[in-house]
Amino acid sequence: MLKHILSSSIHRLPKTVVPPLRPASVYFSPLNRVLCSLRGGRLFFCSGSGDGTDAEAKVAELASGADESQTKASSAIVSTNPRPEDYLTVLALPLPHRPLFPGFYMPIYVKDPKLLAALQESRERQAPYAGAFLLKDEPGSDPSVVTGSDTDKNVYDLKGKELFNRLHEVGTLAQISSIHGDQVILIGHRRLRIAEMVSEDPLTVKVDHLKDKAYNRDDDIIKATSSEVISTLRDVLKTSSLWRDHVQTYTKHIGDFTYPRLADFGAAISGANKLQCQQVLEELDVYNRLKLTLELVKKEMEISKIQESIAKAIEEKISGEQRRYLLNEQLKAIKKELGLETDDKTALIGKFRERIEPKREKCPPHVLQVIDEELTKLQLLEASSSEFSVTRNYLDWLTALPWGEYSDENFDVTRAQMILDDDHYGLTDVKDRILEFIAVGKLRGTSQGKIICLSGPPGVGKTSIGRSIARALNRKFFRFSVGGLADVAEIKGHRRTYIGAMPGKMVQCLKNVGTANPLVLIDEIDKLGRGHAGDPASALLELLDPEQNANFLDHYLDVPIDLSKVLFVCTANVVEMIPNPLLDRMEVVSIAGYITDEKMHIARDYLEKSTREACGIKPEQVEVTDAALLALIEKYCREAGVRNLQKHIEKIYRKIALQLVRQRETIDATIASSQSIEPKNAKVDFDESGQNTIQKENLLGSINPEQMGETSEEDDKVQLDLPAEESSCPDNQSTDNEAAKEKEEDKETGTMTIEKVLIDKSNLNDYVGKPVFHAERIYDQTPTGVVMGLAWTSMGGSTLYIETTFVEEGEGKGALHVTGQLGDVMKESTQIAHTVARAILLKKEPENPFFANSKLHLHVPAGATPKDGPSAGCTMTTSLLSLALKKPVKKDLAMTGEVTLTGKILPIGGVKEKTIAARRNEVKTIVFPSANRRDFDELAPNVKEGLDVHFVDDYSQIFDLAFGDEHSQNIEK
């Protein structure tokens, strides 16, 4: 038998609204049984708990095909008088979601007061019947889309004829079981068809009672279809416990069984939409109804299979993790009970206490107080709370810092000097400053932190100097670059309230190095950014101020940290890019760059050695001449630093390595092919072990050098050293001598030496390509109107020519046209130089109207390079005067300096860079402002060697140097 369940669905009645069952004496009395059989009364079923019997067995009973007249004693019969079929006019109740099938309960809500009153009145008049009709969808709406509240609202608003037109014609005669407020419990009896409308408010219709079409219960097709329905229901019962509840409830309260009732049951409890259910309700042919129900039940079976597969997949996914979690929890509980392991919180607190205990005496009191407070707080927090993880991370950082831990410094000046010299050539200023720092620390017995800023072009070794200083002082080294840094939190840390908060770079540095007095290299400090997260340059003030960093406060730790023992070394390319408040706290040490001699030493003693080792080449395999290195420096690597020089040396050695490997492979292949061929004059003997030995006479000596890939040049030869005894072997030698000779021969065959690869100026192009730089000197002898100037760039110093030429002459056409991509400062310098030149010419030659009547063009090559700066005024003035006087300047003369309108020469910067540029271009005479005499005197002797330097205050001195009688001849004798 099948069951009827009233679930939470709309068409099923919840247990809370089920009308109470009548006493068993009423249901099962003989009188009621007779009345029921005589009147053809219908059976109605209320929900009750299942009796626990096997649901599948009940479904199997359906196959027996009981007769229509059979009834069960467990039926809940409600006798009515008159009979239901006597009601031809009933109230029309709209059903919004699903139709009501005969034999099923359905609760509906009636919002219309008139309709509710009419239902109550009908129930009181012993005529508790109404018609339940499914509501049609609105025209143009999609029946598959559910809009619950809107649909209910539309049902309540429909009245009269509008409601009549929206009702399906076929419905169900429903008994009004009970009314609770606006909830009405309906019990389906039989099918109805609307004939016509009787009244509109409330809607009353005239109906015709429908009966199923006659069918043969012994028809094999009907039996087979019903059996398939029952079989499908049985399969569904195996996968769904909800269906088993349906069957148990339905079989408990159903009174008889027929094929039509089976069809109604299958359609009622299926998950089909309301139109499909309405189609089953409207079908009066029993066979067709069974077929429709079979389709719905089969679809329900497929849905059950899909549901089962989904549930199985999800269960497999989470069961492994749940099992592992449960086992871990059980393991923890067992270990805790046995005393083998404490819980995580206790172990964590013990770890923090153990970590801080050795530092307790050296740790500042305020830090110890914070640590103790946080440990107490950690004990009271739950391990699963977010505050627990914040406190744990905070304690992890606090206890990991090296409070009071200092590394032992080495104050040996001689050792420090040796280390600095081993790592870097030259850089006397930097080395002297470090040695002074060590000497002061030795006299005081302790060292204070300082802030040193190394400024200079790229590639001069600023970063590597910091590493060498740390090695010389025996301090820990930590480097972090602030180039492009735009977040203050990188310096000062985040607040602990933020997710993913971390301390700043200095706190991370102290944790990594493990000492409170490391050497911290702050790289690229002139390239600090500034974004939406604040100004990092301002945040660095507290870090780099000797008066403040003794109590540096990180936002994350929120306790003062002593950074007074830290030695800060900053690097910058351009000091002018550093903010002035930050620059004021630093001690700037300038590294101008290297001259050619220094680059030669660096390349020979440092770069070549390290590159050779990195390429796996032995010193005896390669020789790079001084001429090649000099050409490499002057024609390929002219910048101030040596980074590009190192790249070119690495390029040379990589090509040499490839050349050596190819030669070795060629030799090995040639020897292997030669040894595989038995010589014509080979003698076969047998040694003591019975193995034959082959005496090869002058085997390798017959190999053509061209077959081994050798070149005709002596530098690339491959020499094969063979013993003299190998050329001939007497026949009367013993087998022992023959075996020894064989072994010696094999040894000599495997040992071959490749002569050194010589890198000279002649073959340098084969390794590094064509020269990149050519001589900056365009003129060997500068013509009239051309003067060599000296300039400073971020890559070092360079020379540049300032050229002035005559354009046209006319009365009052005196003008000056300027080109060369000059900046605003240099454009103003040209105007000042023009004015000063006119004044000097008027003073020297009053009758000369050159500037008044001549249009001039002043150009500073190269035009593609932007140029600006206040150091070319005297050079421009000299160029203009040279053209006006028609006198060339002295040969090998270069000058720099800014001139005022009164002819005074102002000081300039970059003296070392400009001096190096002058030496690189073989300039003999240099003119500097007198105010730069101190800068020039501080230069190394090898930089000043061979230069004739003149220091001037007024332009008249430059005029005498450039155009004096003794300098008027521009022809070298």
Side-chain angles (χ1 to χ4, degrees), residues 738-792:
E738 291 177 358
K741 188 66 67 177
E742 178 77 14
K743 188 178 298 184
E744 184 70 20
E745 181 183 342
D746 295 340
K747 180 179 179 182
E748 293 297 334
T749 302
T751 58
M752 290 164 293
T753 59
I754 299 176
E755 288 189 355
K756 287 186 178 180
V757 178
L758 183 65
I759 307 298
D760 201 355
K761 185 178 180 179
S762 59
N763 62 349
L764 184 63
N765 294 354
D766 298 336
Y767 293 90
V768 291
K770 298 297 181 182
V772 178
F773 297 102
H774 299 280
E776 292 182 357
R777 296 190 61 169
I778 305 176
Y779 311 100
D780 290 334
Q781 297 177 355
T782 53
T784 302
V786 179
V787 182
M788 180 186 291
L790 299 174
W792 176 92

Coordinates of all heavy atoms in Angstrom, one line a residue, residues 738-792:
E738 N 106.7 -3.2 -22.4 CA 105.7 -2.9 -23.3 C 104.4 -2.4 -22.6 O 103.7 -1.5 -23.0 CB 105.4 -4.1 -24.2 CG 106.5 -4.4 -25.2 CD 106.2 -5.7 -25.9 OE1 105.1 -6.3 -25.7 OE2 107.0 -6.1 -26.8
A739 N 104.1 -3.1 -21.5 CA 102.9 -2.7 -20.8 C 103.1 -1.3 -20.1 O 102.2 -0.5 -20.1 CB 102.6 -3.7 -19.7
A740 N 104.3 -1.1 -19.6 CA 104.6 0.2 -19.0 C 104.5 1.3 -20.1 O 104.0 2.4 -19.9 CB 105.9 0.2 -18.3
K741 N 105.1 1.0 -21.3 CA 105.0 2.0 -22.3 C 103.6 2.3 -22.8 O 103.3 3.4 -23.1 CB 105.9 1.4 -23.5 CG 106.1 2.4 -24.7 CD 107.0 3.5 -24.2 CE 108.4 3.0 -23.9 NZ 109.3 4.1 -23.5
E742 N 102.8 1.2 -22.8 CA 101.4 1.4 -23.2 C 100.7 2.4 -22.2 O 99.9 3.3 -22.6 CB 100.7 0.1 -23.2 CG 99.2 0.1 -23.5 CD 98.9 0.4 -25.0 OE1 99.9 0.2 -25.8 OE2 97.8 0.7 -25.3
K743 N 100.9 2.1 -20.9 CA 100.3 3.0 -19.9 C 100.8 4.4 -20.0 O 100.0 5.4 -19.9 CB 100.6 2.4 -18.5 CG 99.8 3.1 -17.4 CD 100.1 2.4 -16.1 CE 99.6 0.9 -16.1 NZ 99.8 0.3 -14.7
E744 N 102.1 4.6 -20.2 CA 102.6 5.9 -20.3 C 102.1 6.6 -21.6 O 101.8 7.8 -21.6 CB 104.2 5.8 -20.4 CG 104.9 7.2 -20.5 CD 104.8 7.9 -19.2 OE1 104.5 7.2 -18.1 OE2 104.9 9.1 -19.1
E745 N 101.9 5.8 -22.6 CA 101.4 6.4 -23.9 C 99.9 6.9 -23.7 O 99.6 8.0 -24.1 CB 101.4 5.4 -25.0 CG 100.9 5.9 -26.3 CD 100.9 4.8 -27.3 OE1 101.6 3.8 -27.1 OE2 100.2 4.9 -28.4
D746 N 99.1 6.1 -23.0 CA 97.8 6.5 -22.7 C 97.7 7.8 -21.8 O 96.9 8.7 -22.0 CB 97.0 5.4 -22.0 CG 96.8 4.2 -22.9 OD1 97.0 4.4 -24.2 OD2 96.6 3.1 -22.4
K747 N 98.6 7.9 -20.9 CA 98.7 9.1 -20.0 C 99.1 10.3 -20.8 O 98.5 11.4 -20.7 CB 99.7 8.8 -18.9 CG 99.8 10.0 -17.9 CD 100.8 9.6 -16.8 CE 100.9 10.8 -15.9 NZ 101.9 10.6 -14.8
E748 N 100.1 10.2 -21.7 CA 100.5 11.3 -22.5 C 99.4 11.7 -23.5 O 99.3 12.9 -23.8 CB 101.8 11.0 -23.2 CG 103.0 10.8 -22.3 CD 103.3 12.0 -21.5 OE1 103.0 13.1 -22.0 OE2 103.9 11.9 -20.4
T749 N 98.7 10.7 -23.9 CA 97.6 11.0 -24.9 C 96.5 11.9 -24.2 O 95.9 12.8 -24.8 CB 97.0 9.7 -25.4 OG1 98.0 9.0 -26.1 CG2 95.9 10.0 -26.4
G750 N 96.2 11.6 -23.0 CA 95.2 12.3 -22.3 C 95.6 13.7 -21.7 O 94.7 14.5 -21.3
T751 N 96.9 14.0 -21.7 CA 97.3 15.3 -21.1 C 97.8 16.1 -22.3 O 98.8 15.9 -22.9 CB 98.5 15.1 -20.2 OG1 99.6 14.4 -20.9 CG2 98.1 14.2 -19.0
M752 N 97.0 17.2 -22.6 CA 97.3 18.1 -23.6 C 97.1 19.5 -23.1 O 96.2 19.8 -22.3 CB 96.4 17.9 -24.8 CG 96.7 16.6 -25.6 SD 95.3 16.2 -26.7 CE 94.1 15.9 -25.4
T753 N 98.0 20.4 -23.4 CA 97.9 21.8 -22.9 C 97.6 22.7 -24.1 O 98.1 22.6 -25.2 CB 99.3 22.2 -22.3 OG1 100.3 22.1 -23.3 CG2 99.6 21.3 -21.1
I754 N 96.7 23.6 -23.8 CA 96.3 24.6 -24.8 C 97.0 25.9 -24.4 O 96.9 26.4 -23.2 CB 94.7 24.8 -24.8 CG1 94.1 23.5 -25.1 CG2 94.3 25.9 -25.7 CD1 92.6 23.6 -25.1
E755 N 97.7 26.5 -25.3 CA 98.4 27.7 -25.0 C 97.4 28.9 -24.6 O 96.3 28.9 -25.0 CB 99.2 28.2 -26.2 CG 100.4 27.3 -26.5 CD 101.4 27.8 -27.5 OE1 101.0 28.9 -28.1 OE2 102.4 27.3 -27.7
K756 N 98.0 29.9 -24.0 CA 97.2 31.0 -23.5 C 96.5 31.7 -24.7 O 97.1 31.9 -25.7 CB 98.0 32.0 -22.8 CG 98.5 31.5 -21.4 CD 99.2 32.6 -20.7 CE 99.7 32.2 -19.3 NZ 100.4 33.2 -18.5
V757 N 95.2 32.1 -24.4 CA 94.5 32.9 -25.4 C 94.9 34.3 -25.1 O 94.6 34.8 -24.0 CB 93.0 32.7 -25.3 CG1 92.3 33.6 -26.3 CG2 92.6 31.2 -25.5
L758 N 95.5 35.0 -26.1 CA 96.0 36.3 -25.9 C 94.9 37.3 -26.4 O 94.5 37.3 -27.5 CB 97.3 36.5 -26.6 CG 98.0 37.9 -26.5 CD1 98.4 38.1 -25.0 CD2 99.2 38.0 -27.4
I759 N 94.5 38.2 -25.5 CA 93.6 39.3 -25.8 C 94.4 40.6 -25.9 O 94.9 41.1 -24.9 CB 92.5 39.4 -24.7 CG1 91.8 38.1 -24.5 CG2 91.5 40.5 -25.2 CD1 91.1 37.6 -25.7
D760 N 94.5 41.1 -27.1 CA 95.3 42.3 -27.3 C 94.4 43.4 -27.9 O 93.3 43.1 -28.3 CB 96.5 42.0 -28.2 CG 97.6 43.0 -28.1 OD1 97.4 44.0 -27.4 OD2 98.7 42.9 -28.7
K761 N 95.0 44.5 -28.1 CA 94.2 45.6 -28.7 C 93.8 45.3 -30.1 O 92.7 45.7 -30.6 CB 95.1 46.9 -28.7 CG 94.4 48.1 -29.1 CD 95.3 49.3 -29.0 CE 94.6 50.6 -29.5 NZ 95.4 51.8 -29.4
S762 N 94.6 44.4 -30.8 CA 94.3 44.1 -32.2 C 93.0 43.2 -32.3 O 92.3 43.4 -33.3 CB 95.5 43.4 -32.8 OG 95.8 42.3 -32.1
N763 N 92.8 42.3 -31.4 CA 91.7 41.4 -31.5 C 90.6 41.7 -30.5 O 89.8 40.8 -30.2 CB 92.1 39.9 -31.4 CG 92.8 39.7 -30.0 OD1 93.1 40.6 -29.2 ND2 93.0 38.4 -29.8
L764 N 90.6 42.8 -29.9 CA 89.6 43.2 -28.8 C 88.2 43.3 -29.5 O 87.2 42.9 -28.8 CB 90.0 44.5 -28.1 CG 89.1 44.9 -27.0 CD1 89.1 43.9 -25.9 CD2 89.5 46.3 -26.5
N765 N 88.2 43.8 -30.7 CA 86.9 43.9 -31.4 C 86.2 42.6 -31.6 O 84.9 42.5 -31.6 CB 87.1 44.6 -32.7 CG 87.5 46.0 -32.6 OD1 87.7 46.5 -31.5 ND2 87.8 46.7 -33.7
D766 N 86.9 41.5 -31.7 CA 86.3 40.2 -31.9 C 85.5 39.7 -30.6 O 84.7 38.9 -30.7 CB 87.4 39.1 -32.2 CG 88.1 39.5 -33.5 OD1 87.6 40.2 -34.3 OD2 89.3 39.1 -33.6
Y767 N 85.8 40.3 -29.5 CA 85.2 39.8 -28.2 C 84.1 40.8 -27.7 O 83.1 40.4 -27.1 CB 86.3 39.7 -27.2 CG 87.2 38.5 -27.4 CD1 88.4 38.8 -28.1 CD2 87.0 37.3 -27.0 CE1 89.3 37.7 -28.4 CE2 87.8 36.2 -27.3 CZ 89.0 36.5 -28.0 OH 89.9 35.4 -28.2
V768 N 84.3 42.1 -28.0 CA 83.3 43.1 -27.4 C 82.7 43.9 -28.5 O 81.9 44.8 -28.2 CB 84.0 44.0 -26.4 CG1 84.3 43.2 -25.1 CG2 85.2 44.6 -26.9
G769 N 83.0 43.7 -29.8 CA 82.4 44.4 -30.8 C 83.1 45.7 -31.1 O 84.2 46.0 -30.6
K770 N 82.4 46.6 -31.9 CA 83.0 47.9 -32.3 C 83.0 48.8 -31.1 O 82.2 48.7 -30.2 CB 82.2 48.5 -33.4 CG 82.2 47.6 -34.7 CD 83.6 47.5 -35.3 CE 83.6 46.7 -36.5 NZ 85.0 46.5 -37.1
P771 N 84.0 49.8 -31.1 CA 84.0 50.7 -30.0 C 82.7 51.5 -29.9 O 82.1 51.9 -30.9 CB 85.2 51.6 -30.4 CG 86.0 50.8 -31.3 CD 85.1 49.9 -32.0
V772 N 82.3 51.8 -28.6 CA 81.1 52.6 -28.4 C 81.4 54.0 -28.3 O 80.7 54.9 -28.9 CB 80.5 52.1 -27.0 CG1 79.3 52.9 -26.7 CG2 80.2 50.6 -27.1
F773 N 82.5 54.4 -27.7 CA 82.9 55.8 -27.6 C 84.1 56.1 -28.5 O 85.0 55.3 -28.7 CB 83.3 56.2 -26.1 CG 82.2 56.0 -25.1 CD1 82.2 54.8 -24.3 CD2 81.2 56.9 -25.0 CE1 81.2 54.7 -23.4 CE2 80.2 56.8 -24.1 CZ 80.2 55.6 -23.3
H774 N 84.0 57.3 -29.0 CA 85.1 57.8 -29.7 C 85.7 59.0 -29.0 O 85.1 59.5 -28.0 CB 84.7 58.2 -31.2 CG 84.2 57.1 -32.0 ND1 85.0 56.2 -32.6 CD2 82.9 56.7 -32.2 CE1 84.3 55.3 -33.2 NE2 83.0 55.5 -33.0
A775 N 86.7 59.6 -29.4 CA 87.3 60.7 -28.7 C 86.4 61.9 -28.6 O 85.8 62.2 -29.6 CB 88.7 61.1 -29.3
E776 N 86.2 62.4 -27.4 CA 85.4 63.6 -27.2 C 86.0 64.8 -27.9 O 85.3 65.8 -28.1 CB 85.1 63.8 -25.7 CG 84.3 62.8 -25.1 CD 84.0 63.1 -23.6 OE1 84.6 64.1 -23.1 OE2 83.3 62.3 -23.0
R777 N 87.2 64.7 -28.1 CA 87.9 65.9 -28.8 C 87.6 65.9 -30.3 O 88.1 65.0 -31.0 CB 89.4 65.8 -28.6 CG 89.8 66.0 -27.1 CD 91.3 66.2 -26.9 NE 91.7 67.4 -27.6 CZ 92.9 68.0 -27.4 NH1 93.8 67.4 -26.6 NH2 93.3 69.0 -28.0
I778 N 86.8 66.8 -30.7 CA 86.4 66.9 -32.1 C 87.5 67.5 -32.9 O 87.8 67.2 -34.0 CB 85.1 67.7 -32.3 CG1 84.0 67.0 -31.4 CG2 84.7 67.7 -33.7 CD1 82.7 67.8 -31.4
Y779 N 88.2 68.4 -32.2 CA 89.3 69.2 -32.9 C 90.6 69.0 -32.2 O 90.7 69.0 -30.9 CB 89.0 70.7 -32.8 CG 87.6 71.1 -33.3 CD1 86.6 71.3 -32.4 CD2 87.3 71.2 -34.7 CE1 85.3 71.7 -32.8 CE2 86.0 71.5 -35.1 CZ 85.0 71.8 -34.1 OH 83.8 72.1 -34.5
D780 N 91.6 68.7 -33.0 CA 93.0 68.6 -32.4 C 93.5 70.0 -32.1 O 94.1 70.3 -31.1 CB 93.9 67.9 -33.4 CG 93.7 66.5 -33.5 OD1 93.1 65.9 -32.5 OD2 94.0 65.9 -34.5
Q781 N 93.1 71.0 -33.0 CA 93.4 72.4 -32.8 C 92.1 73.1 -33.0 O 91.6 73.2 -34.0 CB 94.5 72.9 -33.8 CG 95.8 72.1 -33.7 CD 96.8 72.6 -34.7 OE1 96.5 73.3 -35.6 NE2 98.0 72.1 -34.6
T782 N 91.6 73.7 -31.9 CA 90.3 74.3 -31.9 C 90.4 75.6 -32.8 O 91.2 76.4 -32.7 CB 89.9 74.8 -30.5 OG1 91.0 75.6 -29.9 CG2 89.7 73.6 -29.6
P783 N 89.4 75.7 -33.7 CA 89.4 76.8 -34.6 C 88.8 78.1 -33.9 O 88.5 78.0 -32.7 CB 88.4 76.4 -35.7 CG 87.6 75.4 -35.1 CD 88.4 74.7 -34.0
T784 N 88.7 79.1 -34.6 CA 88.2 80.4 -34.1 C 86.8 80.2 -33.7 O 86.0 79.7 -34.4 CB 88.4 81.5 -35.1 OG1 89.7 81.6 -35.5 CG2 87.9 82.8 -34.5
G785 N 86.4 80.7 -32.5 CA 85.1 80.6 -32.0 C 84.7 79.3 -31.3 O 83.5 79.2 -30.9
V786 N 85.6 78.4 -31.1 CA 85.4 77.1 -30.5 C 86.2 77.0 -29.2 O 87.5 77.2 -29.3 CB 85.6 76.0 -31.4 CG1 85.4 74.6 -30.7 CG2 84.8 76.0 -32.7
V787 N 85.6 76.7 -28.1 CA 86.3 76.6 -26.8 C 85.8 75.3 -26.1 O 84.6 75.0 -26.2 CB 86.0 77.8 -25.9 CG1 86.8 77.7 -24.6 CG2 86.4 79.1 -26.6
M788 N 86.7 74.6 -25.5 CA 86.4 73.4 -24.8 C 86.0 73.7 -23.3 O 86.7 74.4 -22.6 CB 87.6 72.4 -24.7 CG 87.2 71.1 -24.0 SD 88.7 70.0 -23.8 CE 88.9 69.5 -25.5
G789 N 84.8 73.2 -22.9 CA 84.4 73.4 -21.5 C 84.3 72.1 -20.8 O 84.5 71.0 -21.4
L790 N 84.1 72.1 -19.5 CA 84.1 71.0 -18.7 C 82.7 70.9 -18.0 O 82.2 71.9 -17.5 CB 85.1 71.0 -17.6 CG 86.6 71.0 -18.1 CD1 87.6 71.2 -16.9 CD2 86.9 69.7 -18.9
A791 N 82.1 69.7 -18.0 CA 80.7 69.5 -17.5 C 80.7 68.4 -16.5 O 81.5 67.5 -16.6 CB 79.7 69.3 -18.7
W792 N 79.7 68.4 -15.7 CA 79.4 67.3 -14.7 C 78.1 66.6 -15.1 O 77.1 67.3 -15.4 CB 79.3 67.9 -13.3 CG 79.0 66.8 -12.3 CD1 79.9 66.1 -11.5 CD2 77.7 66.4 -11.8 NE1 79.2 65.2 -10.7 CE2 77.9 65.4 -10.9 CE3 76.4 66.8 -12.2 CZ2 76.8 64.8 -10.2 CZ3 75.4 66.1 -11.6 CH2 75.6 65.1 -10.6

